[in-house]
């Protein structure tokens, strides 16, 4: 039996595996990296809708141009029917009126930094895996891992046995095998389900379905339509191919006692908008199903192994965060190994923050998904299901209480220095909450004019920043489960709040600081984002807000309509 040695062995050739391998080879070409994939690409895979954060990683990998050349639809945002009314509404990453008609393929600049792709995974995954191979990764398709030798006491993987009879050893092992979790299962890593959401997904692919929206050159929106017993996704993957799926609670699925094909067809027929879009389309005729259950692995890293992508955890797809969580975790796994090789940071610190980052993001996206389900007044035959989710969360569904609950350590997880969860900043989130609750959403900071930094009980801790192949340390404050990273808008606010508590002075100093960093047309946008960070800091208790009746108050309101969230036209 032959035995080959590598620096890094990656199980799985999907986006998690190819992203990890590509970044390892980009920044350290001397590493011997093996990617093992049990299937033969191309192959279909569900999970096609992306968020803009992925595009930056594709650019860093050096394959954004290749993905753009595939002519996938440009995701401007999504059209929803969700909440207590039947009205359609849009959430856009970039206002459709601002989307310019530029020819394709285009470069990763300007408006394309604010949009995302809707990808045919059979094509997309092949592009990424081939790119990893071009950068020097050894890629073996149709090669399964049949056995894993482990040393449980040492928390180590010893070697991998392959379907061709070969034995592989490596200094680091990456489990990028998806929900199957090849290494996770062998290592006996427990998983938890921090939610009552236990859904079943049923889907197929269609040819010649109409696009619901055609925006400029290649732009469109994903369609998310709620029904009384679940919801439908409609994702154009190209000029003629569309992914259409139906998700419902597993409990409801079991009660129906029908074949998945019948349940799927009945769901599509019951939704007039989707029925119209597929009136002249043809389905592939091959229904697929999966358990779409949110889960989180209790441990994500060991002595010489990492869980990346869906092997680490999964959040309900309602917010289309799955692929973003996958790409980001893969990037951070690669960076962690690169730094372990450099030996300039403490290994325990590196591994701790890799695990902590992924757990925080996955938990927050599961929490956000819970809110969406609990707020859906149209799930008429699933009211108990929704009530239970809200009860578990202690959520009364008023906009103020929901925002406070969601902001608990959540806004600092996706992008350090900014306030965002799954593409939603605090303003757009408050607009969503207004729609769901049909009540105005107020701002914690509105009506106050004295803001004092509150660091009582907080400890200082170094956080990792992943940039240009290196991990840098930044300071942060940590209190309970919450953290305040001293970077971006948060750092600017902390610096100003250490000098003054008066909102007029805070505003003046903030604008002065931002003017030196941004162009005139972007300064106001940056100022608004900074105020949103102040809102988060007040909600999480990092800042206390008071009123001095002798001074003017800060007055903010949440418009019902905006450039990014608005009624569907």
């Amino acid at each position: 039996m032959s035995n080959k040695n590598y620096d890094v062995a990656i199980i799985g050739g999907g986006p998690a595996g190819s992203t990890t391998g590509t970044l390892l080879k980009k920044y350290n070409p001397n590493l011997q990296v093996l990617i093992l994939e049990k299937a033969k690409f191309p192959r279909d895979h569900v999970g096609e809708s992306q968020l803009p954060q992925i595009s930056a990683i594709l650019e860093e990998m050096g394959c954004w141009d290749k993905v753009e050349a595939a002519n996938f639809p440009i995701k401007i945002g999504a059209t929803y029917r969700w909440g207590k009314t039947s009205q359609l509404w849009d959430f856009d990453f970039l206002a459709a009126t601002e989307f310019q008609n530029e020819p394709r393929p285009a470069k990763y600049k300007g408006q394309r930094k604010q949009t995302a792709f809707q990808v045919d995974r059979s094509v997309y995954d092949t592009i990424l895996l081939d790119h990893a191979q071009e950068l020097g990764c050894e890629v073996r398709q149709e090669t399964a891992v049949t056995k894993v030798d482990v040393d449980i006491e040492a928390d180590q993987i010893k070697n991998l046995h392959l379907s061709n009879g070969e034995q592989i050893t490596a200094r680091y092992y990456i489990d990028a095998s998806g929900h199957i979790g090849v290494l996770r299962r062998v290592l006996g890593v427990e998983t938890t389900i921090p939610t009552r959401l236990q859904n079943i997904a049923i889907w197929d692919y269609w040819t010649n379905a109409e696009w619901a929206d055609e925006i400029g050159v290649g732009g469109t929106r994903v369609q998310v339509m709620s029904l009384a017993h679940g919801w439908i996704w409609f994702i154009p993957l190209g000029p003629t191919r569309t992914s259409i799926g139906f998700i419902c609670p597993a409990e409801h699925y079991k009660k129906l006692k029908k074949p998945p094909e019948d349940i799927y067809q009945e769901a599509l027929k019951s939704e007039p908008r989707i029925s119209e879009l597929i009136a002249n389309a043809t389905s592939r005729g091959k229904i697929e199903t999966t358990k779409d259950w949110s889960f989180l692995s209790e441990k994500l890293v060991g002595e010489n192994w990492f869980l990346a992508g869906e092997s680490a955890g999964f959040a309900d797809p309602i917010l289309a965060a799955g692929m973003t969580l996958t790409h980001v975790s893969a990037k951070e796994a690669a960076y962690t190994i690169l730094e372990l090789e450099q030996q300039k940071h403490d290994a325990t610190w590196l591994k701790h923050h890799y695990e902590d980052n992924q757990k925080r993001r996955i938990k927050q996206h599961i929490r956000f998904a819970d809110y969406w389900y609990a707020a859906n007044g149209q799930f008429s035959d699933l009211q108990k299901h929704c009530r239970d989710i809200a009860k578990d969360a202690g959520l009364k569904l008023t906009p103020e209480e929901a925002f406070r609950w969601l902001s608990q350590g959540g806004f600092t997880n996706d992008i350090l220095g900014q306030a965002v969860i799954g593409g939603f900043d605090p303003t757009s989130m408050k607009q969503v909450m207004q729609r769901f609750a049909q009540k105005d959403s107020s701002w914690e900071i509105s009506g106050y004019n004295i803001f004092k930094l509150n660091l009582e009980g907080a400890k200082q801790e170094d956080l990792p920043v992943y940039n240009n192949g290196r991990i840098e340390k930044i300071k942060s404050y940590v209190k309970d489960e919450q953290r305040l990273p001293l970077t971006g808008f948060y750092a600017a606010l902390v610096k100003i709040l250490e000098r003054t508590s008066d909102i007029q002075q805070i505003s003046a100093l903030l604008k002065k600081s931002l003017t030196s960093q941004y162009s005139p047309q972007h300064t106001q946008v940056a100022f608004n984002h900074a105020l949103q960070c102040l809102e988060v800091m007040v909600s999480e208790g990092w800042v206390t807000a008071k009123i001095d009746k002798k001074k003017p108050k800060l007055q903010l309101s949440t418009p019902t309509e905006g450039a990014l969230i608005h009624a569907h036209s």
Side-chain angles (χ1 to χ4, degrees):
M1 179 185 294
S2 61
N3 190 341
K4 295 192 70 174
N5 301 311
Y6 295 87
D7 294 307
V8 184
I10 301 171
I11 304 174
S18 55
T19 299
T20 306
T22 292
L23 293 176
L24 285 170
K25 292 297 289 185
K26 174 181 178 176
Y27 294 118
N28 189 344
N30 294 324
L31 288 175
Q32 297 298 307
V33 180
L34 171 67
I35 301 177
L36 300 166
E37 171 52 53
K38 68 177 182 179
K40 173 67 176 175
F41 282 19
R43 54 90 179 98
D44 282 323
H45 199 287
V46 74
E48 301 104 344
S49 186
Q50 300 190 343
L51 298 177
Q53 199 173 347
I54 292 177
S55 294
I57 297 176
L58 295 176
E59 176 72 2
E60 181 180 3
M61 292 167 63
C63 63
W64 194 90
D65 288 341
K66 294 178 180 178
V67 174
E68 166 67 3
N71 201 35
F72 296 125
I74 302 169
K75 183 180 176 182
I76 307 298
T79 297
Y80 292 94
R81 189 182 65 226
W82 201 277
K84 296 182 179 179
T85 74
S86 59
Q87 181 188 38
L88 297 177
W89 55 277
D90 300 326
F91 167 56
D92 293 335
F93 306 131
L94 172 71
T97 54
E98 297 178 14
F99 186 69
Q100 301 295 315
N101 288 332
E102 62 179 358
R104 299 185 72 185
K107 293 296 182 182
Y108 179 67
K109 62 181 182 180
Q111 65 182 15
R112 297 307 299 278
K113 289 188 174 183
Q114 296 176 258
T115 57
F117 291 108
Q118 295 164 199
V119 298
D120 185 330
R121 289 286 298 275
S122 66
V123 179
Y124 179 79
D125 290 10
T126 301
I127 291 172
L128 267 58
L129 189 58
D130 287 349
H131 182 74
Q133 189 168 29
E134 289 172 18
L135 262 66
C137 293
E138 181 181 334
V139 174
R140 300 196 200 177
Q141 298 187 45
E142 297 182 287
T143 305
V145 174
T146 57
K147 182 184 177 184
V148 181
D149 293 329
V150 301
D151 184 335
I152 296 295
E153 288 188 8
D155 196 22
Q156 285 185 330
I157 303 294
K158 296 174 64 178
N159 51 54
L160 307 177
H161 298 263
L162 308 185
S163 54
N164 62 3
E166 196 171 343
Q167 188 169 303
I168 295 297
T169 59
R171 293 191 296 119
Y172 304 99
Y173 297 85
I174 306 286
D175 186 347
S177 62
H179 69 276
I180 295 171
V182 173
L183 296 185
R184 186 189 72 227
R185 292 175 186 273
V186 170
L187 289 161
V189 175
E190 298 286 336
T191 61
T192 58
I193 303 176
T195 175
R196 285 180 179 258
L197 291 176
Q198 295 188 356
N199 292 335
I200 295 291
I202 310 171
W203 73 94
D204 199 355
Y205 295 94
W206 292 69
T207 302
N208 294 328
E210 293 184 32
W211 287 16
D213 296 303
E214 294 190 37
I215 305 166
V217 178
T220 189
R221 296 186 184 96
V222 168
Q223 306 294 300
V224 175
M225 302 287 112
S226 69
L227 305 174
H229 45 276
W231 60 277
I232 293 173
W233 80 67
F234 180 98
I235 308 173
L237 307 179
T240 61
R241 197 168 197 236
T242 301
S243 170
I244 307 177
F246 172 63
I247 287 183
C248 70
E251 183 181 351
H252 180 78
Y253 175 85
K254 292 176 182 177
K255 286 181 179 178
L256 291 175
K257 296 181 179 179
K258 294 180 180 180
E261 293 82 0
D262 292 350
I263 296 172
Y264 180 75
Q265 291 297 335
E266 289 171 8
L268 299 192
K269 289 177 182 177
S270 70
E271 214 305 299
R273 182 174 176 82
I274 301 301
S275 295
E276 185 177 349
L277 293 173
I278 63 175
N280 299 312
T282 305
S283 71
R284 180 187 57 170
K286 182 184 175 183
I287 294 292
E288 296 186 61
T289 64
T290 187
K291 293 190 299 184
D292 220 355
W293 294 2
S294 298
F295 75 91
L296 178 63
S297 297
E298 292 192 349
K299 187 175 183 180
L300 276 67
V301 61
E303 184 64 27
N304 67 344
W305 58 268
F306 295 80
L307 306 184
E310 273 188 34
S311 67
F314 176 76
D316 189 273
I318 184 63
L319 299 168
M323 288 193 71
T324 302
L325 293 170
T326 289
H327 277 284
V328 172
S329 69
K331 172 180 174 173
E332 294 183 0
Y335 272 62
T336 302
I337 290 174
L338 290 166
E339 288 294 347
L340 288 171
E341 290 292 283
Q342 292 283 335
Q343 296 184 341
K344 292 185 179 180
H345 294 306
D346 178 69
T348 301
W349 179 81
L350 288 168
K351 292 179 178 181
H352 164 74
H353 281 289
Y354 172 77
E355 180 172 89
D356 186 57
N357 283 345
Q358 314 324 315
K359 284 188 173 182
R360 282 176 174 272
R361 292 193 192 101
I362 295 168
K363 283 179 181 177
Q364 185 58 44
H365 283 277
I366 291 174
R367 174 178 286 187
F368 205 178
D370 277 358
Y371 170 71
W372 278 69
Y373 280 84
N376 195 327
Q378 293 203 107
F379 283 1
S380 57
D381 65 342
L382 297 173
Q383 288 302 310
K384 183 180 183 299
H385 175 80
C386 294
R387 283 198 305 270
D388 288 344
I389 292 172
K391 182 180 178 180
D392 286 353
L395 191 63
K396 297 180 181 178
L397 298 180
T398 66
E400 292 77 18
E401 290 165 325
F403 182 85
R404 201 170 293 117
W405 178 70
L406 283 171
S407 70
Q408 292 173 7
F411 278 108
T412 61
N413 295 331
D414 278 11
I415 303 175
L416 287 181
Q418 299 181 34
V420 63
I421 300 174
F424 289 79
D425 63 16
T427 296
S428 58
M429 186 177 287
K430 286 176 181 289
Q431 287 180 314
V432 167
M433 290 172 172
Q434 285 187 159
R435 287 182 171 274
F436 287 175
Q438 297 182 313
K439 297 177 182 178
D440 289 342
S441 181
S442 63
W443 287 76
E444 292 273 351
I445 59 177
S446 187
Y448 296 101
N449 51 26
I450 303 297
F451 296 91
K452 292 184 178 181
L453 200 59
N454 175 24
L455 301 178
E456 185 177 351
K459 298 179 180 178
Q460 277 209 345
E461 182 178 300
D462 288 328
L463 287 181
V465 175
Y466 306 82
N467 190 38
N468 293 323
R470 295 305 308 272
I471 294 178
E472 299 175 0
K473 290 183 177 181
I474 62 165
K475 296 294 182 183
S476 71
Y477 288 108
V478 178
K479 184 165 48 177
D480 299 325
E481 290 294 315
Q482 301 177 152
R483 63 185 186 182
L484 180 63
L486 297 182
T487 188
F489 295 123
Y490 294 111
L493 285 165
V494 168
K495 189 175 181 179
I496 291 169
L497 289 166
E498 287 174 340
R499 295 175 58 184
T500 180
S501 60
D502 182 88
I503 189 56
Q504 289 183 302
Q505 295 180 37
I506 292 170
S507 297
L509 289 170
L510 189 56
K511 287 180 178 178
K512 182 179 179 181
S513 172
L514 297 174
T515 300
S516 66
Q517 301 175 56
Y518 297 91
S519 63
Q521 63 265 39
H522 291 126
T523 298
Q524 185 59 46
V525 174
F527 180 74
N528 292 339
H529 279 292
L531 288 183
Q532 294 183 62
C533 287
L534 179 60
E535 171 78 359
V536 171
M537 292 168 73
V538 171
S539 295
E540 294 187 355
W542 296 110
V543 172
T544 57
K546 296 182 179 180
I547 181 69
D548 183 338
K549 295 181 179 179
K550 298 178 181 179
K551 297 180 179 181
K553 297 181 291 186
L554 182 62
Q555 294 183 333
L556 298 179
S557 61
T558 307
T560 303
E561 300 287 330
L564 302 183
I565 293 190
H566 51 89
H568 181 77
S569 56

